[in-house]
Amino acid sequence: MRFHLTRFAVATRFTLIEHGRNRFAMILVILFVPVWTSLAYLAMPDTPARMRLRATGEALAPHGNELTAISRALNAVTLITGFMMFAATFSGSGFDRRLAMAGYPRAHLVLAKVTALALASAAVAAYATAVICLAWTPRQPLLLAASLFCAGLTYGALGVGFGSLLRREVEGMFAIVMTSIIDLALHNPITSSGADNPVMRYLPSYGAMQASTAAGFSTSPVPGHLALQLTWFGLAALVALLGFRNSTRNCLPTASIPPLGPGSSKADIPAPRQTASPSATASDTKAH
C-alpha cells in the first residue's frame, strides 16, 4: 500500500510542477477569466431574453448580459483547463514514455493527471464563480461552481486526449479552441437562434450549460444534468486513457531470431573470423 501511495505522490508532484511552470496558463486564469466574463456582462444589453430551460421546464426571462456572462465563464473555464492539460501532456509525453518504459506504473501516472485536472478545474471554477458573483448574484452559486467544475473536467480530459494523439502543438490548440467556441456559442439563445434545437443536447457542454443556467436564474436543483456532464467527462477520459496508453507504449525494437527449420542450414550463418595463432604465424615466417 505504501508503495502505491509513494508512486502516486511522486507522479502527482511532478504533474503539478509541470503545471506550475506554465506561466502563460497562470496569466490566462488571472486575467482572461475576469476580462472575458466582465466584457460579456458590460457589453451585452440587459434586455430580458425569453427562453425555456429544458433542465426544469421553466419559462425564464433572464437578463441578456447575465446569461451571456455565464456562457462566457463556461467558455473561459473550458479553454483554460483544456489548454493546461494539453500543454502538460504534449510537453511531458516524452518523459511519461520514458517512465512507463522504465517500469513506472501507468495507473499511477494516469491517477496523477486526473488529480491535477480536478485541482485545476476546481480552482478555475471557484475563481470564475467569484468573478460572476461580483457583478450579480446567481440564485444557486454552489450549483454554478459545480457546473463550471464539471465542464472543466470534460475539456481537461479532452486536452489530455489531444495531447496524446496529435503530433503538433498548433493542431491541439486549434482543436480545443474551436470545440469550445462552437459548443458554447450554440447554447446561448442571445447569439444563437437554434439554442432550443434538440440537437444541442448531444454537445459536450449541454449538461453544464443547463445546470449553470438553472443555477443563475432558478431555484430548482438539476443533479441529472450534472450527471450528464460527468458522463461526457467519462467518455473524454476514456479517449484520453487510450491516447495515453498509445503514446506510452513500448516502442523499442525487439530483436527476433527466426527458428531453424528444414530449409535452413548452418551455411546461412556467417562463421566468426579466426585469428591466426602465434605458432602458425611463426611457422609461416620460417617457410618464407
Side-chain angles (χ1 to χ4, degrees):
M1 187 65 179
R2 186 173 180 179
F3 169 84
H4 296 291
L5 289 177
T6 303
R7 294 296 182 274
F8 169 70
V10 170
T12 303
R13 182 166 61 88
F14 277 114
T15 305
L16 293 176
I17 290 174
E18 184 68 24
H19 283 299
R21 290 176 178 173
N22 192 347
R23 296 181 180 178
F24 182 64
M26 300 299 107
I27 295 174
L28 284 179
V29 172
I30 297 172
L31 297 180
F32 181 68
V33 172
V35 170
W36 189 229
T37 305
S38 301
L39 281 177
Y41 179 78
L42 296 174
M44 295 298 294
D46 59 355
T47 306
R50 299 189 178 276
M51 59 173 290
R52 181 170 294 277
L53 184 62
R54 291 180 177 271
T56 61
E58 300 175 73
L60 303 176
H63 293 291
N65 57 345
E66 296 176 352
L67 182 60
T68 305
I70 286 180
S71 177
R72 294 299 179 265
L74 276 169
N75 183 219
V77 170
T78 54
L79 281 176
I80 290 173
T81 54
F83 166 70
M84 289 179 64
M85 297 307 298
F86 168 78
T89 304
F90 189 84
S91 62
S93 59
F95 183 63
D96 290 336
R97 188 182 300 112
R98 289 191 294 272
L99 283 177
M101 292 171 64
Y104 206 97
R106 293 184 187 179
H108 297 80
L109 296 175
V110 172
L111 288 175
K113 291 186 181 299
V114 173
T115 303
L117 170 59
L119 292 175
S121 299
V124 178
Y127 184 54
T129 304
V131 169
I132 290 179
C133 290
L134 290 176
W136 56 282
T137 304
R139 298 283 186 89
Q140 303 179 73
L142 292 180
L143 179 59
L144 177 59
S147 60
L148 293 174
F149 171 72
C150 293
L153 286 179
T154 302
Y155 273 80
L158 287 176
V160 175
F162 290 148
S164 301
L165 297 174
L166 300 179
R167 292 293 176 262
R168 293 192 298 175
E169 191 170 5
V170 66
E171 296 174 356
M173 296 303 300
F174 182 80
I176 293 171
V177 170
M178 294 309 298
T179 303
S180 177
I181 290 177
I182 293 174
D183 179 17
L184 290 163
L186 293 176
H187 283 301
N188 189 355
I190 306 298
T191 58
S192 174
S193 59
D196 290 333
N197 194 305
V199 178
M200 296 298 104
R201 67 184 63 188
Y202 300 108
L203 294 179
S205 295
Y206 174 77
M209 187 65 192
Q210 291 290 307
S212 58
T213 306
F217 312 106
S218 174
T219 57
S220 302
V222 285
H225 285 74
L226 287 179
L228 176 62
Q229 191 61 47
L230 289 176
T231 302
W232 267 104
F233 164 65
L235 295 175
L238 178 61
V239 174
L241 179 62
L242 294 176
F244 181 78
R245 182 179 181 275
N246 179 70
S247 66
T248 57
R249 70 184 187 278
N250 192 340
C251 299
L252 289 177
T254 56
S256 58
I257 302 176
L260 293 175
S264 62
S265 62
K266 293 183 180 180
D268 297 328
I269 304 176
R273 295 181 60 183
Q274 298 288 337
T275 306
S277 62
S279 58
T281 306
S283 60
D284 223 13
T285 305
K286 286 181 179 181
H288 281 294

